[in-house]
Amino acid sequence: SQTIHQWPATLVQPVGSPLSLECTVEGTSNPNLYWYRQAAGRGLQLLFYSVGIGQISSEVPQNLSASRPQDRQFILSSKKLLLSDSGFYLCAWSVLRSMNSTDTQYFGPGTRLTVL
Amino acid sequence: AQTVTQSQPEMSVQEAETVTLSCTYDTSESNYYLFWYKQPPSRQMILVIRQEAYKQQNATENRFSVNFQKAAKSFSLKISDSQLGDTAMYFCAFMKPWNSQGGSEKLVFGKGMKLTVNP
C-alpha cells in the first residue's frame, strides 16, 4: 500500500532563516506530487505541483520554491522565511490513471511551521 | 475560476444522530470531481468520499453519503449514525480533470466546517 511521509512534523524558525521541508511517497511510481498550505482557520491553498522529476509548476508567486530531485521525493524550500510563511504545510500525491481520468489526492501528516 | 462555498462554519450533533453538511460550488466545467475531506485534531487530511460529475448516482461510503445536485451546483454530505470520532473539520473540494494543455489536478477547497459530535 502507498504511504506518504513528511518531516519535520513541527518547526519553529526565525524570520530570515532558510527552510527545507521534505515529503516522500512509498509504494507507487511516478506520482503527481503537491504542496499545499493551510493558514489558520482557512482551507488549503495549492503552492506547487509536480508531474515528474525536475518538473515543477507554481500556483502562487511567493518566496517559496519546490524541487523534485527523485521520483518520490518533493522538497519545499525558502532562502529567507517571512512571518507570513507560518502555517500548516501538507504534501499530497496522486496517480494519473489515464488521459481522461484524474485520481484522488492523498495527503501526508503535515508540517506545522511557526516563523517568529 | 472555480469557487467552493461552505456557508455553515460550525455544527454540533448528538452521537447516533444524522447530520448534513452543505457545500455549493461554481464552475463552467461540465466534467469535474467533488470531494469531502475530513481533518481531525491531528490535522491530517483524510478523504471521506468522492463524486464524479458525470455520474448521476450519488456516492456512498458506509455511513457517509452525498446528495449531488449538478444543476444546482450543490454537493452535501450526510453522516448517519454519528460517532465521536467524526468530530473534525470537514472540507468540500472541487477538482477539474487533468488535461493535456497543462491543466493541473488542483483541488479548490472551501473554508471548512467544524463538526462536533457530542456524547
Side-chain angles (χ1 to χ4, degrees), chain A residues 43-91:
Chain A
L44 274 67
Q45 179 186 41
L46 179 65
L47 301 176
F48 300 95
Y49 69 94
S50 171
V51 299
I53 295 175
Q55 301 178 60
I56 309 294
S57 296
S58 173
E59 288 288 317
V60 181
Q62 56 207 324
N63 71 320
L64 298 172
S65 63
S67 62
R68 185 169 177 175
Q70 300 180 39
D71 180 44
R72 289 169 287 181
Q73 184 184 33
F74 204 23
I75 297 172
L76 183 68
S77 304
S78 174
K79 292 182 179 179
K80 289 185 178 182
L81 282 169
L82 306 173
L83 287 173
S84 58
D85 291 325
S86 291
F88 191 62
Y89 289 82
L90 286 154
C91 181

Side-chain angles (χ1 to χ4, degrees), chain A residues 17-59:
Chain A
S17 64
L19 172 74
S20 181
L21 303 181
E22 188 166 343
C23 169
T24 59
V25 180
E26 296 177 355
T28 187
S29 297
N30 195 30
N32 295 334
L33 297 172
Y34 311 82
W35 277 112
Y36 288 86
R37 177 169 60 198
Q38 184 178 27
R42 304 188 68 177
L44 274 67
Q45 179 186 41
L46 179 65
L47 301 176
F48 300 95
Y49 69 94
S50 171
V51 299
I53 295 175
Q55 301 178 60
I56 309 294
S57 296
S58 173
E59 288 288 317

Side-chain angles (χ1 to χ4, degrees), chain A residues 34 38 94 102 104-105 107, chain B residues 37 39 44 50 97-98 105:
Chain A
Y34 311 82
Q38 184 178 27
S94 71
T102 303
T104 301
Q105 292 182 27
F107 288 83
Chain B
Y37 282 90
Q39 189 177 41
Q44 178 155 11
R50 158 189 165 127
W98 185 92
E105 300 168 354

Side-chain angles (χ1 to χ4, degrees), chain B residues 81-92:
Chain B
D81 186 25
S82 296
Q83 300 176 359
L84 296 178
D86 295 333
T87 293
M89 286 289 294
Y90 284 81
F91 291 92
C92 179

